[in-house]
Amino acid sequence: MELSISQLKGLMNIFTELEPEEILRKSVEQISRMLNAKGCTIFLYNEGTDCIELAETTSQQVHDAGTVRYSRGEGLTGWVFKFQKPLLIQDFDRKSVDDLKKELSWGLDSKPTVILVADKTVFERISGNRYAVGLAIPERNTIAINILPLVSKTYMMLEVFKHELCHLVLHEHIKSSFLPRWLDEGVAQWASGNLGELLLYEGMFRSVRLNLARLAIPLDYLATSFPSDPRSLFLAYEESLSFVNYVVKKYGRAKFITILEKLALGEK
């Protein structure tokens, strides 16, 4: 990367500061400008804890989150810390595909498009769901992720990506007419091990789980869409996962995968 005269002057200006805090503050601002990036974050190594801790960032939201710390291998940031090299999108793309292949026996043959949205209003308009942080659009082979609430939770970004990727894998093998919404969401939660697009609101599911039997929604009502009100929406997700877990527990993973394979062949 070639540096302009103004960029070189900017770098030199950073080190005229005597206070470490000012050096860090100017560094993240200058680096983000030089790379034409949305932002920049610097972590420093803490020998006492053998962790890296957030020292400075251009994101006010992360500033407000308090102490941010990663151990080796923890999330995407911890991955970089452990292996001491840049993390490319295809690295965690490949890992997620491999993980899902172990669960579903299917991979993803196509290359998905991943869109990172840094505007809450725009993402809510795209997803139509104020609680979602992830969205899969199978007909466009696209995943959209609202990165703002995940900036200080990079491990969650990987979890959301894996969940949404599972939707693409399912739709690549099974026609939508053979894949009701409740099964789509149930399998995505089961295979990825997380709530995906609603991962940030996992705590709100606790009361729903306690009342699942009493408040259950007939699966026929969840075939094409899920409710919009929070309580019913969380119930729909929990019910979808509970059904898949029940089938896997009662009949075994192999039998459940056989069911999915029959759906892929167009058999109901």
Side-chain angles (χ1 to χ4, degrees), residues 20-266:
E21 292 80 6
E22 276 302 298
I23 292 176
L24 288 169
R25 185 184 65 79
K26 285 189 174 182
S27 294
V28 294
E29 292 174 355
Q30 185 66 21
I31 291 170
S32 60
R33 281 196 295 268
M34 288 170 57
L35 298 178
N36 194 28
K38 291 288 185 181
C40 175
T41 299
I42 294 177
F43 286 85
L44 296 179
Y45 177 60
N46 185 324
E47 290 185 6
T49 60
D50 192 33
C51 293
I52 52 172
E53 298 176 352
L54 186 142
E56 188 55 80
T57 179
T58 54
S59 170
Q60 185 59 47
Q61 184 172 358
V62 178
H63 261 302
D64 297 340
T67 303
V68 179
R69 181 184 296 115
Y70 291 98
S71 58
R72 297 178 190 274
E74 180 185 359
L76 305 184
T77 305
W79 188 95
V80 174
F81 174 38
K82 178 179 180 180
F83 294 102
Q84 303 288 300
K85 63 180 183 178
L87 175 64
L88 305 177
I89 289 294
Q90 58 259 37
D91 290 332
F92 74 82
D93 179 4
R94 185 74 263 152
K95 181 181 185 305
S96 296
V97 170
D98 290 344
D99 287 347
L100 291 175
K101 198 167 186 178
K102 290 177 184 176
E103 294 295 335
L104 297 173
S105 301
W106 287 332
L108 189 68
D109 297 328
S110 57
K111 274 278 188 182
T113 298
V114 181
I115 302 172
L116 303 179
V117 182
D119 187 308
K120 180 182 178 183
T121 303
V122 170
F123 188 83
E124 190 173 326
R125 195 182 308 134
I126 294 172
S127 66
N129 185 344
R130 60 179 294 198
Y131 299 101
V133 291
L135 174 69
I137 311 172
E139 60 272 21
R140 296 186 179 181
N141 199 30
T142 296
I143 292 171
I145 297 176
N146 178 11
I147 62 171
L148 283 181
L150 300 172
V151 170
S152 61
K153 304 178 180 68
T154 51
Y155 69 95
M156 279 193 178
M157 189 181 296
L158 179 58
E159 294 299 301
V160 171
F161 175 78
K162 185 178 176 182
H163 178 103
E164 303 308 330
L165 189 67
C166 186
H167 287 304
L168 297 189
V169 170
L170 287 171
H171 282 268
E172 186 174 83
H173 292 85
I174 303 175
K175 290 183 178 179
S176 296
S177 57
F178 288 87
L179 188 63
R181 175 72 187 275
W182 60 264
L183 183 60
D184 191 5
E185 289 297 348
V187 174
Q189 292 178 78
W190 171 73
S192 68
N194 68 79
L195 285 164
E197 54 265 25
L198 300 184
L199 190 59
L200 287 178
Y201 301 93
E202 188 168 16
M204 299 178 70
F205 275 70
R206 291 170 187 154
S207 62
V208 169
R209 289 188 182 114
L210 294 175
N211 296 290
L212 183 59
R214 184 168 60 86
L215 301 173
I217 304 170
L219 290 179
D220 286 347
Y221 293 178
L222 304 175
T224 58
S225 63
F226 277 9
S228 57
D229 69 281
R231 189 176 183 81
S232 297
L233 176 64
F234 298 150
L235 179 62
Y237 271 82
E238 182 64 23
E239 193 172 320
S240 300
L241 176 60
S242 294
F243 183 86
V244 171
N245 280 337
Y246 170 79
V247 174
V248 172
K249 185 175 181 179
K250 185 174 179 63
Y251 300 102
R253 176 185 171 278
K255 286 280 182 66
F256 181 66
I257 295 300
T258 299
I259 293 173
L260 295 180
E261 289 173 344
K262 286 182 178 294
L263 291 174
L265 294 173

